[in-house]
Amino acid sequence: MTVTPTLDDHRRALGLLTVDETLALGADGVRVLDPWSTLVSSGVVLGRGTVLYPGVVVQRDRDGVVQVGEDTVLYPGTFLLATAGGSIRVGARCELGPGGVQVKANQPGASIELGTGVRLLNGCELVGRCRLGDGAQVIGTIAAQSVELGGGLGGHSHVEPDERGAVLKGAGLARGLRLQRGDVVNLTPSFDGVPVERQSAYHPKPSGTPR
């Protein structure tokens, strides 16, 4: 007789907690809002008060490390991955999302460290060796590779902007960037000076079609 694998069988095969085990994280003060759509690997460390929204994935293999500090919020679509000896360490009171944030330490030597009160949102991705100090922010569809953002005082809403953690925002690739406290870099591209073209320049009409 053929035995159909259960949902929990599939989870166990990938090193993930079962639905009941995911729900049981609440006994340690973790707020799991939807255990059926939330995927957490065995061995992940989640601090008390951590909030896991639906659709969150926190995954590691036996050589990877993931630690999340207290009262950190992982919004829908957040994806944390630590494999091949990589490590992810997230401080307390961070906000990851909304907007499909990805944090990946999935190669040997990869290490991503987020200080207290760091914010990542609106589709950013962190890879490689990244270090973000207290209150630093990455906002937008930015691929951040091995960047270092200086920490600040009082979080991202501190009364003195130049004493806040560094900010990287906009869209594009940031590789090897180093910012100090109070710095901000806006990678948003501009359309100024870009020529207007006809779409047929990229999508030629089929042969024989009248022009």
Side-chain angles (χ1 to χ4, degrees), residues 37-90:
S37 70
T38 301
L39 301 177
V40 179
S41 289
S42 176
V44 166
V45 178
L46 300 173
R48 180 169 293 276
T50 296
V51 179
L52 303 180
Y53 273 82
V56 166
V57 177
V58 185
Q59 191 170 0
R60 61 177 288 274
D61 63 12
R62 66 178 184 177
D63 297 319
V65 174
V66 180
Q67 298 176 351
V68 178
E70 295 183 351
D71 299 318
T72 284
V73 180
L74 277 60
Y75 286 100
T78 296
F79 178 50
L80 274 60
L81 177 67
T83 59
S87 66
I88 298 173
R89 291 179 170 84
V90 180

mmCIF file of all heavy atoms in Angstrom, residues 37-90:
data_model
loop_
_atom_site.group_PDB
_atom_site.id
_atom_site.type_symbol
_atom_site.label_atom_id
_atom_site.label_comp_id
_atom_site.label_asym_id
_atom_site.label_seq_id
_atom_site.Cartn_x
_atom_site.Cartn_y
_atom_site.Cartn_z
ATOM 1 N N SER A 37 1.785 28.479 7.324
ATOM 2 C CA SER A 37 2.519 29.140 6.236
ATOM 3 C C SER A 37 3.891 29.629 6.668
ATOM 4 O O SER A 37 4.629 30.194 5.867
ATOM 5 C CB SER A 37 1.717 30.330 5.703
ATOM 6 O OG SER A 37 1.673 31.386 6.645
ATOM 7 N N THR A 38 4.241 29.401 7.927
ATOM 8 C CA THR A 38 5.533 29.831 8.461
ATOM 9 C C THR A 38 6.481 28.642 8.499
ATOM 10 O O THR A 38 6.139 27.594 9.043
ATOM 11 C CB THR A 38 5.378 30.418 9.872
ATOM 12 O OG1 THR A 38 4.479 31.531 9.816
ATOM 13 C CG2 THR A 38 6.715 30.876 10.421
ATOM 14 N N LEU A 39 7.682 28.804 7.932
ATOM 15 C CA LEU A 39 8.662 27.723 7.872
ATOM 16 C C LEU A 39 9.900 28.121 8.663
ATOM 17 O O LEU A 39 10.549 29.125 8.355
ATOM 18 C CB LEU A 39 9.041 27.425 6.419
ATOM 19 C CG LEU A 39 7.884 27.015 5.498
ATOM 20 C CD1 LEU A 39 8.392 26.830 4.067
ATOM 21 C CD2 LEU A 39 7.208 25.752 5.993
ATOM 22 N N VAL A 40 10.215 27.327 9.679
ATOM 23 C CA VAL A 40 11.361 27.596 10.542
ATOM 24 C C VAL A 40 12.169 26.313 10.676
ATOM 25 O O VAL A 40 11.614 25.253 10.999
ATOM 26 C CB VAL A 40 10.927 28.083 11.935
ATOM 27 C CG1 VAL A 40 12.147 28.329 12.820
ATOM 28 C CG2 VAL A 40 10.081 29.343 11.832
ATOM 29 N N SER A 41 13.468 26.396 10.446
ATOM 30 C CA SER A 41 14.327 25.217 10.580
ATOM 31 C C SER A 41 14.586 24.886 12.036
ATOM 32 O O SER A 41 14.621 25.766 12.902
ATOM 33 C CB SER A 41 15.671 25.458 9.884
ATOM 34 O OG SER A 41 15.544 25.469 8.491
ATOM 35 N N SER A 42 14.801 23.626 12.278
ATOM 36 C CA SER A 42 15.249 23.192 13.594
ATOM 37 C C SER A 42 16.592 23.830 13.908
ATOM 38 O O SER A 42 17.458 23.936 13.032
ATOM 39 C CB SER A 42 15.377 21.664 13.603
ATOM 40 O OG SER A 42 15.902 21.207 14.826
ATOM 41 N N GLY A 43 16.786 24.274 15.132
ATOM 42 C CA GLY A 43 18.044 24.869 15.532
ATOM 43 C C GLY A 43 18.108 26.371 15.377
ATOM 44 O O GLY A 43 19.086 26.990 15.816
ATOM 45 N N VAL A 44 17.101 26.986 14.767
ATOM 46 C CA VAL A 44 17.041 28.446 14.697
ATOM 47 C C VAL A 44 16.738 28.993 16.091
ATOM 48 O O VAL A 44 15.905 28.448 16.817
ATOM 49 C CB VAL A 44 15.953 28.893 13.699
ATOM 50 C CG1 VAL A 44 15.634 30.372 13.861
ATOM 51 C CG2 VAL A 44 16.397 28.597 12.271
ATOM 52 N N VAL A 45 17.400 30.076 16.480
ATOM 53 C CA VAL A 45 17.186 30.695 17.788
ATOM 54 C C VAL A 45 16.359 31.963 17.598
ATOM 55 O O VAL A 45 16.791 32.891 16.918
ATOM 56 C CB VAL A 45 18.523 31.029 18.479
ATOM 57 C CG1 VAL A 45 18.271 31.716 19.817
ATOM 58 C CG2 VAL A 45 19.352 29.770 18.674
ATOM 59 N N LEU A 46 15.185 31.985 18.221
ATOM 60 C CA LEU A 46 14.288 33.138 18.133
ATOM 61 C C LEU A 46 14.080 33.717 19.520
ATOM 62 O O LEU A 46 13.651 33.005 20.441
ATOM 63 C CB LEU A 46 12.941 32.716 17.531
ATOM 64 C CG LEU A 46 12.988 32.112 16.123
ATOM 65 C CD1 LEU A 46 11.619 31.578 15.734
ATOM 66 C CD2 LEU A 46 13.473 33.140 15.111
ATOM 67 N N GLY A 47 14.355 35.002 19.679
ATOM 68 C CA GLY A 47 14.225 35.641 20.980
ATOM 69 C C GLY A 47 12.777 35.842 21.387
ATOM 70 O O GLY A 47 11.863 35.883 20.552
ATOM 71 N N ARG A 48 12.574 35.966 22.666
ATOM 72 C CA ARG A 48 11.231 36.199 23.198
ATOM 73 C C ARG A 48 10.637 37.475 22.594
ATOM 74 O O ARG A 48 11.322 38.486 22.482
ATOM 75 C CB ARG A 48 11.294 36.301 24.722
ATOM 76 C CG ARG A 48 9.949 36.546 25.406
ATOM 77 C CD ARG A 48 10.065 36.369 26.905
ATOM 78 N NE ARG A 48 10.330 34.984 27.259
ATOM 79 C CZ ARG A 48 9.373 34.041 27.394
ATOM 80 N NH1 ARG A 48 8.106 34.362 27.204
ATOM 81 N NH2 ARG A 48 9.700 32.813 27.719
ATOM 82 N N GLY A 49 9.378 37.392 22.240
ATOM 83 C CA GLY A 49 8.703 38.543 21.651
ATOM 84 C C GLY A 49 8.849 38.659 20.149
ATOM 85 O O GLY A 49 8.250 39.547 19.534
ATOM 86 N N THR A 50 9.634 37.769 19.525
ATOM 87 C CA THR A 50 9.745 37.768 18.074
ATOM 88 C C THR A 50 8.367 37.519 17.463
ATOM 89 O O THR A 50 7.616 36.654 17.917
ATOM 90 C CB THR A 50 10.717 36.675 17.590
ATOM 91 O OG1 THR A 50 12.027 36.958 18.078
ATOM 92 C CG2 THR A 50 10.760 36.614 16.072
ATOM 93 N N VAL A 51 8.027 38.274 16.422
ATOM 94 C CA VAL A 51 6.748 38.113 15.730
ATOM 95 C C VAL A 51 7.009 37.559 14.340
ATOM 96 O O VAL A 51 7.781 38.137 13.564
ATOM 97 C CB VAL A 51 5.983 39.444 15.631
ATOM 98 C CG1 VAL A 51 4.661 39.247 14.890
ATOM 99 C CG2 VAL A 51 5.739 40.027 17.008
ATOM 100 N N LEU A 52 6.366 36.439 14.013
ATOM 101 C CA LEU A 52 6.485 35.819 12.702
ATOM 102 C C LEU A 52 5.148 35.924 11.979
ATOM 103 O O LEU A 52 4.177 35.268 12.349
ATOM 104 C CB LEU A 52 6.885 34.343 12.837
ATOM 105 C CG LEU A 52 8.179 34.043 13.594
ATOM 106 C CD1 LEU A 52 8.424 32.539 13.639
ATOM 107 C CD2 LEU A 52 9.360 34.762 12.981
ATOM 108 N N TYR A 53 5.112 36.771 10.965
ATOM 109 C CA TYR A 53 3.905 36.921 10.158
ATOM 110 C C TYR A 53 3.774 35.754 9.174
ATOM 111 O O TYR A 53 4.730 35.006 8.948
ATOM 112 C CB TYR A 53 3.953 38.242 9.394
ATOM 113 C CG TYR A 53 3.418 39.418 10.174
ATOM 114 C CD1 TYR A 53 4.224 40.084 11.105
ATOM 115 C CD2 TYR A 53 2.112 39.860 9.989
ATOM 116 C CE1 TYR A 53 3.736 41.175 11.818
ATOM 117 C CE2 TYR A 53 1.612 40.945 10.703
ATOM 118 C CZ TYR A 53 2.428 41.590 11.608
ATOM 119 O OH TYR A 53 1.940 42.660 12.328
ATOM 120 N N PRO A 54 2.590 35.578 8.578
ATOM 121 C CA PRO A 54 2.424 34.510 7.578
ATOM 122 C C PRO A 54 3.415 34.657 6.427
ATOM 123 O O PRO A 54 3.764 35.765 6.016
ATOM 124 C CB PRO A 54 0.979 34.720 7.085
ATOM 125 C CG PRO A 54 0.288 35.386 8.218
ATOM 126 C CD PRO A 54 1.318 36.281 8.850
ATOM 127 N N GLY A 55 3.866 33.514 5.912
ATOM 128 C CA GLY A 55 4.757 33.529 4.761
ATOM 129 C C GLY A 55 6.213 33.770 5.065
ATOM 130 O O GLY A 55 7.012 33.950 4.154
ATOM 131 N N VAL A 56 6.595 33.753 6.337
ATOM 132 C CA VAL A 56 7.997 33.935 6.726
ATOM 133 C C VAL A 56 8.741 32.604 6.601
ATOM 134 O O VAL A 56 8.220 31.547 6.964
ATOM 135 C CB VAL A 56 8.092 34.465 8.169
ATOM 136 C CG1 VAL A 56 9.511 34.339 8.715
ATOM 137 C CG2 VAL A 56 7.635 35.912 8.227
ATOM 138 N N VAL A 57 9.980 32.659 6.103
ATOM 139 C CA VAL A 57 10.848 31.484 6.030
ATOM 140 C C VAL A 57 12.165 31.816 6.733
ATOM 141 O O VAL A 57 12.841 32.780 6.374
ATOM 142 C CB VAL A 57 11.133 31.071 4.571
ATOM 143 C CG1 VAL A 57 12.091 29.880 4.537
ATOM 144 C CG2 VAL A 57 9.842 30.748 3.836
ATOM 145 N N VAL A 58 12.506 31.014 7.734
ATOM 146 C CA VAL A 58 13.783 31.149 8.445
ATOM 147 C C VAL A 58 14.454 29.788 8.364
ATOM 148 O O VAL A 58 14.085 28.857 9.076
ATOM 149 C CB VAL A 58 13.590 31.583 9.906
ATOM 150 C CG1 VAL A 58 14.951 31.841 10.564
ATOM 151 C CG2 VAL A 58 12.711 32.817 10.003
ATOM 152 N N GLN A 59 15.458 29.671 7.486
ATOM 153 C CA GLN A 59 15.992 28.359 7.137
ATOM 154 C C GLN A 59 17.500 28.290 7.327
ATOM 155 O O GLN A 59 18.219 29.242 7.024
ATOM 156 C CB GLN A 59 15.633 28.030 5.686
ATOM 157 C CG GLN A 59 15.902 26.605 5.266
ATOM 158 C CD GLN A 59 15.296 26.281 3.911
ATOM 159 O OE1 GLN A 59 14.671 27.136 3.272
ATOM 160 N NE2 GLN A 59 15.468 25.053 3.466
ATOM 161 N N ARG A 60 17.957 27.145 7.806
ATOM 162 C CA ARG A 60 19.378 26.879 7.970
ATOM 163 C C ARG A 60 19.634 25.407 7.697
ATOM 164 O O ARG A 60 18.726 24.577 7.776
ATOM 165 C CB ARG A 60 19.837 27.214 9.402
ATOM 166 C CG ARG A 60 19.134 26.376 10.463
ATOM 167 C CD ARG A 60 19.637 26.636 11.869
ATOM 168 N NE ARG A 60 20.954 26.104 12.121
ATOM 169 C CZ ARG A 60 21.209 24.857 12.522
ATOM 170 N NH1 ARG A 60 20.216 23.990 12.701
ATOM 171 N NH2 ARG A 60 22.438 24.461 12.735
ATOM 172 N N ASP A 61 20.888 25.090 7.373
ATOM 173 C CA ASP A 61 21.280 23.691 7.376
ATOM 174 C C ASP A 61 22.085 23.433 8.641
ATOM 175 O O ASP A 61 22.209 24.321 9.500
ATOM 176 C CB ASP A 61 22.052 23.319 6.099
ATOM 177 C CG ASP A 61 23.367 24.075 5.943
ATOM 178 O OD1 ASP A 61 23.815 24.735 6.917
ATOM 179 O OD2 ASP A 61 23.959 24.015 4.850
ATOM 180 N N ARG A 62 22.652 22.266 8.800
ATOM 181 C CA ARG A 62 23.316 21.931 10.063
ATOM 182 C C ARG A 62 24.580 22.739 10.296
ATOM 183 O O ARG A 62 25.077 22.822 11.421
ATOM 184 C CB ARG A 62 23.630 20.437 10.124
ATOM 185 C CG ARG A 62 24.639 19.947 9.124
ATOM 186 C CD ARG A 62 24.885 18.468 9.320
ATOM 187 N NE ARG A 62 25.938 17.969 8.435
ATOM 188 C CZ ARG A 62 26.377 16.719 8.462
ATOM 189 N NH1 ARG A 62 25.846 15.849 9.319
ATOM 190 N NH2 ARG A 62 27.334 16.324 7.648
ATOM 191 N N ASP A 63 25.117 23.359 9.232
ATOM 192 C CA ASP A 63 26.315 24.184 9.380
ATOM 193 C C ASP A 63 26.003 25.680 9.456
ATOM 194 O O ASP A 63 26.899 26.494 9.685
ATOM 195 C CB ASP A 63 27.277 23.936 8.215
ATOM 196 C CG ASP A 63 27.777 22.502 8.181
ATOM 197 O OD1 ASP A 63 28.067 21.958 9.262
ATOM 198 O OD2 ASP A 63 27.868 21.931 7.076
ATOM 199 N N GLY A 64 24.754 26.042 9.235
ATOM 200 C CA GLY A 64 24.374 27.448 9.253
ATOM 201 C C GLY A 64 23.852 27.885 10.616
ATOM 202 O O GLY A 64 23.380 27.075 11.414
ATOM 203 N N VAL A 65 23.926 29.183 10.874
ATOM 204 C CA VAL A 65 23.486 29.748 12.158
ATOM 205 C C VAL A 65 22.502 30.877 11.890
ATOM 206 O O VAL A 65 22.789 31.771 11.082
ATOM 207 C CB VAL A 65 24.684 30.304 12.968
ATOM 208 C CG1 VAL A 65 24.196 31.023 14.225
ATOM 209 C CG2 VAL A 65 25.649 29.187 13.321
ATOM 210 N N VAL A 66 21.359 30.835 12.565
ATOM 211 C CA VAL A 66 20.409 31.941 12.528
ATOM 212 C C VAL A 66 19.979 32.255 13.959
ATOM 213 O O VAL A 66 19.467 31.385 14.655
ATOM 214 C CB VAL A 66 19.158 31.634 11.689
ATOM 215 C CG1 VAL A 66 18.211 32.845 11.696
ATOM 216 C CG2 VAL A 66 19.525 31.268 10.262
ATOM 217 N N GLN A 67 20.200 33.490 14.371
ATOM 218 C CA GLN A 67 19.779 33.956 15.688
ATOM 219 C C GLN A 67 19.030 35.274 15.522
ATOM 220 O O GLN A 67 19.517 36.182 14.850
ATOM 221 C CB GLN A 67 20.983 34.157 16.615
ATOM 222 C CG GLN A 67 21.782 32.887 16.886
ATOM 223 C CD GLN A 67 23.021 33.149 17.723
ATOM 224 O OE1 GLN A 67 23.390 34.298 17.972
ATOM 225 N NE2 GLN A 67 23.671 32.089 18.147
ATOM 226 N N VAL A 68 17.859 35.353 16.126
ATOM 227 C CA VAL A 68 17.025 36.551 16.035
ATOM 228 C C VAL A 68 16.771 37.070 17.445
ATOM 229 O O VAL A 68 16.357 36.318 18.330
ATOM 230 C CB VAL A 68 15.691 36.244 15.331
ATOM 231 C CG1 VAL A 68 14.799 37.490 15.289
ATOM 232 C CG2 VAL A 68 15.945 35.718 13.913
ATOM 233 N N GLY A 69 17.009 38.362 17.666
ATOM 234 C CA GLY A 69 16.876 38.957 18.988
ATOM 235 C C GLY A 69 15.436 39.201 19.408
ATOM 236 O O GLY A 69 14.490 39.061 18.620
ATOM 237 N N GLU A 70 15.279 39.606 20.634
ATOM 238 C CA GLU A 70 13.952 39.803 21.224
ATOM 239 C C GLU A 70 13.182 40.936 20.533
ATOM 240 O O GLU A 70 13.755 41.931 20.096
ATOM 241 C CB GLU A 70 14.088 40.121 22.712
ATOM 242 C CG GLU A 70 14.662 38.970 23.525
ATOM 243 C CD GLU A 70 14.705 39.286 25.006
ATOM 244 O OE1 GLU A 70 14.452 40.457 25.368
ATOM 245 O OE2 GLU A 70 14.980 38.370 25.799
ATOM 246 N N ASP A 71 11.868 40.730 20.454
ATOM 247 C CA ASP A 71 10.927 41.751 19.967
ATOM 248 C C ASP A 71 11.201 42.194 18.531
ATOM 249 O O ASP A 71 10.819 43.305 18.138
ATOM 250 C CB ASP A 71 10.930 42.974 20.892
ATOM 251 C CG ASP A 71 10.493 42.621 22.304
ATOM 252 O OD1 ASP A 71 9.535 41.849 22.444
ATOM 253 O OD2 ASP A 71 11.130 43.105 23.260
ATOM 254 N N THR A 72 11.821 41.352 17.768
ATOM 255 C CA THR A 72 12.023 41.631 16.345
ATOM 256 C C THR A 72 10.795 41.162 15.563
ATOM 257 O O THR A 72 10.194 40.140 15.898
ATOM 258 C CB THR A 72 13.296 40.940 15.833
ATOM 259 O OG1 THR A 72 14.433 41.688 16.286
ATOM 260 C CG2 THR A 72 13.338 40.847 14.325
ATOM 261 N N VAL A 73 10.443 41.907 14.522
ATOM 262 C CA VAL A 73 9.266 41.579 13.721
ATOM 263 C C VAL A 73 9.703 41.152 12.324
ATOM 264 O O VAL A 73 10.440 41.876 11.644
ATOM 265 C CB VAL A 73 8.314 42.787 13.614
ATOM 266 C CG1 VAL A 73 7.090 42.423 12.771
ATOM 267 C CG2 VAL A 73 7.881 43.250 14.996
ATOM 268 N N LEU A 74 9.246 39.977 11.908
ATOM 269 C CA LEU A 74 9.487 39.472 10.559
ATOM 270 C C LEU A 74 8.156 39.516 9.815
ATOM 271 O O LEU A 74 7.252 38.723 10.099
ATOM 272 C CB LEU A 74 10.051 38.045 10.585
ATOM 273 C CG LEU A 74 11.558 37.891 10.797
ATOM 274 C CD1 LEU A 74 12.003 38.497 12.123
ATOM 275 C CD2 LEU A 74 11.970 36.433 10.728
ATOM 276 N N TYR A 75 8.035 40.469 8.896
ATOM 277 C CA TYR A 75 6.792 40.685 8.172
ATOM 278 C C TYR A 75 6.632 39.672 7.045
ATOM 279 O O TYR A 75 7.583 38.950 6.695
ATOM 280 C CB TYR A 75 6.758 42.107 7.628
ATOM 281 C CG TYR A 75 6.509 43.156 8.687
ATOM 282 C CD1 TYR A 75 7.558 43.906 9.218
ATOM 283 C CD2 TYR A 75 5.219 43.389 9.161
ATOM 284 C CE1 TYR A 75 7.326 44.873 10.191
ATOM 285 C CE2 TYR A 75 4.978 44.351 10.133
ATOM 286 C CZ TYR A 75 6.036 45.085 10.641
ATOM 287 O OH TYR A 75 5.806 46.035 11.613
ATOM 288 N N PRO A 76 5.416 39.591 6.450
ATOM 289 C CA PRO A 76 5.171 38.598 5.386
ATOM 290 C C PRO A 76 6.211 38.662 4.275
ATOM 291 O O PRO A 76 6.601 39.741 3.833
ATOM 292 C CB PRO A 76 3.781 38.991 4.871
ATOM 293 C CG PRO A 76 3.109 39.642 6.027
ATOM 294 C CD PRO A 76 4.204 40.387 6.741
ATOM 295 N N GLY A 77 6.645 37.491 3.831
ATOM 296 C CA GLY A 77 7.603 37.413 2.738
ATOM 297 C C GLY A 77 9.056 37.512 3.139
ATOM 298 O O GLY A 77 9.936 37.418 2.283
ATOM 299 N N THR A 78 9.345 37.685 4.420
ATOM 300 C CA THR A 78 10.739 37.741 4.872
ATOM 301 C C THR A 78 11.380 36.364 4.722
ATOM 302 O O THR A 78 10.798 35.347 5.102
ATOM 303 C CB THR A 78 10.817 38.194 6.332
ATOM 304 O OG1 THR A 78 10.314 39.527 6.436
ATOM 305 C CG2 THR A 78 12.246 38.164 6.837
ATOM 306 N N PHE A 79 12.605 36.341 4.189
ATOM 307 C CA PHE A 79 13.320 35.093 3.925
ATOM 308 C C PHE A 79 14.730 35.202 4.478
ATOM 309 O O PHE A 79 15.528 36.018 4.020
ATOM 310 C CB PHE A 79 13.354 34.837 2.415
ATOM 311 C CG PHE A 79 14.108 33.597 2.019
ATOM 312 C CD1 PHE A 79 13.864 32.390 2.630
ATOM 313 C CD2 PHE A 79 15.051 33.643 0.996
ATOM 314 C CE1 PHE A 79 14.551 31.233 2.252
ATOM 315 C CE2 PHE A 79 15.746 32.517 0.602
ATOM 316 C CZ PHE A 79 15.492 31.297 1.231
ATOM 317 N N LEU A 80 15.044 34.376 5.482
ATOM 318 C CA LEU A 80 16.375 34.301 6.064
ATOM 319 C C LEU A 80 16.947 32.929 5.743
ATOM 320 O O LEU A 80 16.304 31.900 6.003
ATOM 321 C CB LEU A 80 16.332 34.495 7.581
ATOM 322 C CG LEU A 80 16.366 35.933 8.130
ATOM 323 C CD1 LEU A 80 15.173 36.727 7.619
ATOM 324 C CD2 LEU A 80 16.359 35.913 9.665
ATOM 325 N N LEU A 81 18.167 32.888 5.211
ATOM 326 C CA LEU A 81 18.790 31.632 4.811
ATOM 327 C C LEU A 81 20.254 31.620 5.225
ATOM 328 O O LEU A 81 21.022 32.500 4.833
ATOM 329 C CB LEU A 81 18.680 31.453 3.292
ATOM 330 C CG LEU A 81 19.352 30.210 2.708
ATOM 331 C CD1 LEU A 81 18.640 28.944 3.180
ATOM 332 C CD2 LEU A 81 19.378 30.281 1.189
ATOM 333 N N ALA A 82 20.627 30.600 6.002
ATOM 334 C CA ALA A 82 22.022 30.423 6.415
ATOM 335 C C ALA A 82 22.425 28.976 6.136
ATOM 336 O O ALA A 82 21.916 28.054 6.780
ATOM 337 C CB ALA A 82 22.206 30.751 7.886
ATOM 338 N N THR A 83 23.322 28.794 5.173
ATOM 339 C CA THR A 83 23.792 27.464 4.812
ATOM 340 C C THR A 83 25.289 27.509 4.562
ATOM 341 O O THR A 83 25.897 28.579 4.508
ATOM 342 C CB THR A 83 23.082 26.951 3.541
ATOM 343 O OG1 THR A 83 23.327 27.862 2.460
ATOM 344 C CG2 THR A 83 21.576 26.827 3.764
ATOM 345 N N ALA A 84 25.893 26.322 4.415
ATOM 346 C CA ALA A 84 27.311 26.198 4.050
ATOM 347 C C ALA A 84 28.230 26.929 5.022
ATOM 348 O O ALA A 84 29.270 27.449 4.633
ATOM 349 C CB ALA A 84 27.543 26.699 2.624
ATOM 350 N N GLY A 85 27.833 26.989 6.285
ATOM 351 C CA GLY A 85 28.659 27.643 7.289
ATOM 352 C C GLY A 85 28.393 29.120 7.466
ATOM 353 O O GLY A 85 29.061 29.783 8.267
ATOM 354 N N GLY A 86 27.430 29.671 6.741
ATOM 355 C CA GLY A 86 27.088 31.079 6.885
ATOM 356 C C GLY A 86 26.313 31.350 8.165
ATOM 357 O O GLY A 86 25.732 30.439 8.767
ATOM 358 N N SER A 87 26.302 32.608 8.594
ATOM 359 C CA SER A 87 25.601 32.957 9.835
ATOM 360 C C SER A 87 24.824 34.259 9.670
ATOM 361 O O SER A 87 25.269 35.186 8.983
ATOM 362 C CB SER A 87 26.578 33.088 10.998
ATOM 363 O OG SER A 87 27.448 34.183 10.817
ATOM 364 N N ILE A 88 23.660 34.300 10.314
ATOM 365 C CA ILE A 88 22.823 35.494 10.366
ATOM 366 C C ILE A 88 22.505 35.755 11.827
ATOM 367 O O ILE A 88 21.960 34.888 12.516
ATOM 368 C CB ILE A 88 21.516 35.307 9.579
ATOM 369 C CG1 ILE A 88 21.804 35.055 8.100
ATOM 370 C CG2 ILE A 88 20.608 36.523 9.748
ATOM 371 C CD1 ILE A 88 20.562 34.688 7.298
ATOM 372 N N ARG A 89 22.844 36.956 12.285
ATOM 373 C CA ARG A 89 22.545 37.337 13.664
ATOM 374 C C ARG A 89 21.814 38.680 13.637
ATOM 375 O O ARG A 89 22.369 39.680 13.198
ATOM 376 C CB ARG A 89 23.826 37.414 14.498
ATOM 377 C CG ARG A 89 24.465 36.044 14.728
ATOM 378 C CD ARG A 89 25.765 36.132 15.543
ATOM 379 N NE ARG A 89 26.232 34.833 15.955
ATOM 380 C CZ ARG A 89 26.977 34.011 15.204
ATOM 381 N NH1 ARG A 89 27.335 34.399 13.979
ATOM 382 N NH2 ARG A 89 27.351 32.823 15.653
ATOM 383 N N VAL A 90 20.581 38.635 14.107
ATOM 384 C CA VAL A 90 19.704 39.802 14.077
ATOM 385 C C VAL A 90 19.509 40.301 15.500
ATOM 386 O O VAL A 90 19.164 39.513 16.401
ATOM 387 C CB VAL A 90 18.345 39.447 13.447
ATOM 388 C CG1 VAL A 90 17.432 40.665 13.406
ATOM 389 C CG2 VAL A 90 18.537 38.870 12.044
#
